[in-house]
Every structure is written in C-alpha cells, then in structure tokens.
Amino acid sequence: MVISRRNVIRLMGLTLATMPVAGTLAAASGKVRIGVLKFGTVSWELDTIKHHGLDAQNGIDLEVVNFAGEDATNVAMLAGDIDLIVADWLWVSRQRSSGDDVTLVPYSTALGAIMVKDASPIRAPIDLVDRKIGVAGGPLDKSWLLLQAMFRRDYDIDLPARNEIVFGAPPLMSEKAVQGELDAVLNYWHFCARLEANGFRRLVGASDAAKALGAKGPVAAIGYVFHDKWARENPQAVAGFTKASAAAKKLLATSDEEWLRLAPLIRAEGKELEILRDRYREGIPNRPIVEEQTDAATLYRVLAEIGGAKLVGQAREMAPGTFWPGPAT
C-alpha cells in the first residue's frame, strides 16, 4: 500500500499510540532509531548488534523501537519519527514513484516456499492441480505472485483457477497445514523452516520462481529502508549502521553459539533452531548492489504484469534509486 503524505498525517495518531513516550527525535550525532515489529526475525540481528556492542564499535547508538504493525512502522519513518524500518523493495519503489525519497539496503534474500507433509503424494509442482492451498498474507503477496507467474509459464497451470486457495495469517496457515486441513501451504521463510523441522518438506520456493523468471541470483526480499535526505545529512550514522549490520550477519553466519544465545528470543530449540539458523544463513545477501537492483527490476516487471495497479500503482518499471547505491555515488 502506498502511503501519501496526507495519509501520514491522518495516521499519526496510530503511530504515536504505538510508540513509547519520549521527546522529539534525538538529533545527537550517531543516534539511530529503527522501528521494527516486536516479534519479527529482524529482531534477531538487532539483538546481536546490541548484545555485542556492535553499534558502539561503529560509532552509533542504536535504539530499537517496537511496533505492533507494519503500517505503523512505515508511517513513523515517513513522518520522520524514526530513521529506519524494514520493508520490501516493491513498497520502496511505489513510495519513490509517489514522490518520497525512501531507499533500501538489502537485509535478507530469504523467501517463502510451498510446503507439503513428508508423506504427501504431492511430489512435483504439477501435482498441485486440484488441491487446497493455503497462502500466508493476501492475493498480492510477492511470493505468491512469483509462483503464479512461474507456474503459468513453465507448467501452464493457473494456480488460483485450478485450486482452492485459502488466505490467512502465517501462524494460522501453518496450523491448518499441520492439522491436515490443507494439501499444501505457502508461508514466510521462518514459518517454512519451523514446518520443515516438524514433518514437512519444500516443494518449490519463491526463490526458485524468481530464478525461473529471470533473476541471475538471490534477490533481497526485504531491506533496511531510510530517506535519501537523512542518509545525505547523516553519512556517519548510515555507515555505522550498515557496518554494524554486516558484523552481526558475520557473527550469525559463523557462530552456532550465538544462535543458542538467541534461542529464547527465537522461541525454538533443537532441530527447529538449527533449520532456522541454516535458512537464515542462506538468506544473507552477498552480491553487489547493482546485481541485486538489476534482478529486482526484472522481477518488478513480472510482478507489475500479474499484480497490476493494486500492487505497484501506475509505475510499470521499478523506480530509480530504490536500492541505495552507497555514499560513493
């Protein structure tokens, strides 16, 4: 959903109601405020940053502000009450096309997948025909659209037309799949990982669809989002945060002990924790920004065709500057 400046003003009440009582945004050098969903996977990386003092080591003071909903984080950042949020590049491009100067640094390439029970007779994508499929989110979910496009092109299957599709919240979709109410379920990556640890297997992933549709490599699903103007005015803060984020990712990529420390926050243990760890590591971006941007632009055109104006507005191409090029440019 595009958020105009008029909507920002209209929704400020929601934003203020979800924020802790505080004064105006601190203007001190090195202060960085990030708004995130309280129980989102991004909190794992941010906790790592704070626990090990990676923010202070890189010249910033990172303050994490928890919100109950994604719209509230978006409104708070657009209004200037926080410096960064986490969002996907479709949202960033749509905001830029509407005149806002938001931009994105890749956070994770992890995408969801269609999951089936280990004992399911569904062994190949073609076997999904005439099945009941649960989809986390709604009809415009990016992974769902990518998979639809791939199935149409490679298998001549119109998933919504050939199957009973049930939309719902990620936890509900996972629960229905476990209870056997669904033949297959498309869920977010961390819900898929938990299912994988509990008797499910991946049939086909949204990342597979992205590559089939023209991406040369893994594309960041979401990223850290901020204003161009803020980045220009606070280059040390941006550099400090991106370095702290990279240091946290390196630690999470190499230290199994760090995952054991995070286990209470993640709410997982044993095999489930190990699969979440491994899937997270697979999603750590490792490509140059220009390559990510090129592939995202390719996928944008596919998504714009299948999702239409409800997904991308009137812009048929990804907005220039959606991916932050860095201070050198």
Side-chain angles (χ1 to χ4, degrees):
M1 177 183 71
V2 65
I3 299 178
S4 66
R5 296 195 180 278
R6 178 178 299 176
N7 285 334
V8 167
I9 296 172
R10 180 172 59 82
L11 295 174
M12 278 302 296
L14 172 63
T15 303
L16 295 175
T18 57
M19 289 182 67
V21 176
T24 57
L25 180 63
S29 176
K31 184 74 169 182
V32 176
R33 299 187 75 193
I34 181 168
V36 295
L37 300 182
K38 187 173 183 180
F39 299 109
T41 60
V42 179
S43 63
W44 308 347
E45 179 173 307
L46 299 180
D47 185 89
T48 301
I49 290 175
K50 295 301 294 184
H51 180 80
H52 295 280
L54 300 175
D55 54 342
Q57 292 176 30
N58 288 283
I60 63 171
D61 175 16
L62 182 64
E63 180 180 352
V64 180
V65 182
N66 291 314
F67 288 82
E70 183 178 353
D71 284 348
T73 66
N74 297 349
V75 170
M77 195 273 294
L78 291 175
D81 293 315
I82 52 178
D83 303 312
L84 298 104
I85 61 170
V86 174
D88 67 25
W89 43 263
L90 277 174
W91 184 84
V92 172
S93 178
R94 185 161 184 174
Q95 292 301 134
R96 289 189 74 88
S97 296
S98 299
D100 279 305
D101 69 335
V102 292
T103 188
L104 171 149
V105 170
Y107 163 71
S108 175
T109 67
L111 288 169
I114 293 180
M115 306 292 293
V116 297
K117 286 187 175 181
D118 286 339
S120 170
I122 300 174
R123 312 302 301 184
I126 193 69
D127 297 332
L128 283 173
V129 174
D130 299 325
R131 304 286 185 171
K132 187 176 182 179
I133 304 174
V135 176
L140 295 180
D141 175 77
K142 180 166 71 269
S143 293
W144 174 232
L145 294 175
L146 286 172
L147 283 162
Q148 285 184 63
M150 184 193 74
F151 272 77
R152 287 179 182 179
R153 194 195 72 171
D154 293 350
Y155 305 103
D156 196 26
I157 297 175
D158 186 334
L159 285 175
R162 297 293 303 273
N163 299 277
E164 180 182 354
I165 308 300
V166 180
F167 297 104
L172 177 62
M173 291 297 96
S174 284
E175 184 61 26
K176 284 184 175 294
V178 170
Q179 293 175 354
E181 297 181 30
L182 302 170
D183 297 310
V185 61
L186 170 62
N187 216 325
Y188 302 154
W189 78 267
H190 48 297
F191 286 93
C192 290
R194 294 182 192 274
L195 287 173
E196 190 177 353
N198 292 279
F200 282 71
R201 54 183 165 80
R202 296 166 65 91
L203 181 71
V204 60
S207 57
D208 301 317
K211 291 180 181 178
L213 295 168
K216 304 299 183 184
V219 181
I222 56 176
Y224 290 114
V225 177
F226 47 88
H227 288 282
D228 278 330
K229 183 175 184 293
W230 178 76
R232 291 193 301 270
E233 294 175 349
N234 300 274
Q236 293 181 341
V238 177
F241 177 79
T242 54
K243 289 178 181 177
S245 171
K249 283 185 171 67
K250 182 177 180 180
L251 184 59
L252 291 168
T254 57
S255 172
D256 292 347
E257 290 74 18
E258 185 64 13
W259 286 91
L260 294 175
R261 184 190 71 79
L262 288 169
L265 176 63
I266 298 172
R267 299 179 181 181
E269 59 184 15
K271 182 180 179 181
E272 188 170 286
L273 180 65
E274 291 176 1
I275 293 179
L276 282 163
R277 176 199 66 197
D278 293 346
R279 293 292 180 236
Y280 175 94
R281 287 172 172 174
E282 290 172 2
I284 295 176
N286 57 13
R287 295 202 297 161
I289 287 291
V290 65
E291 294 181 11
E292 289 254 14
Q293 183 172 268
T294 299
D295 281 348
T298 297
L299 297 178
Y300 182 99
R301 288 188 285 272
V302 174
L303 292 167
E305 180 178 351
I306 192 169
K310 289 184 179 180
L311 180 69
V312 300
Q314 300 305 313
R316 308 305 293 179
E317 298 285 337
M318 190 175 76
T322 294
F323 283 73
W324 188 57
T329 58

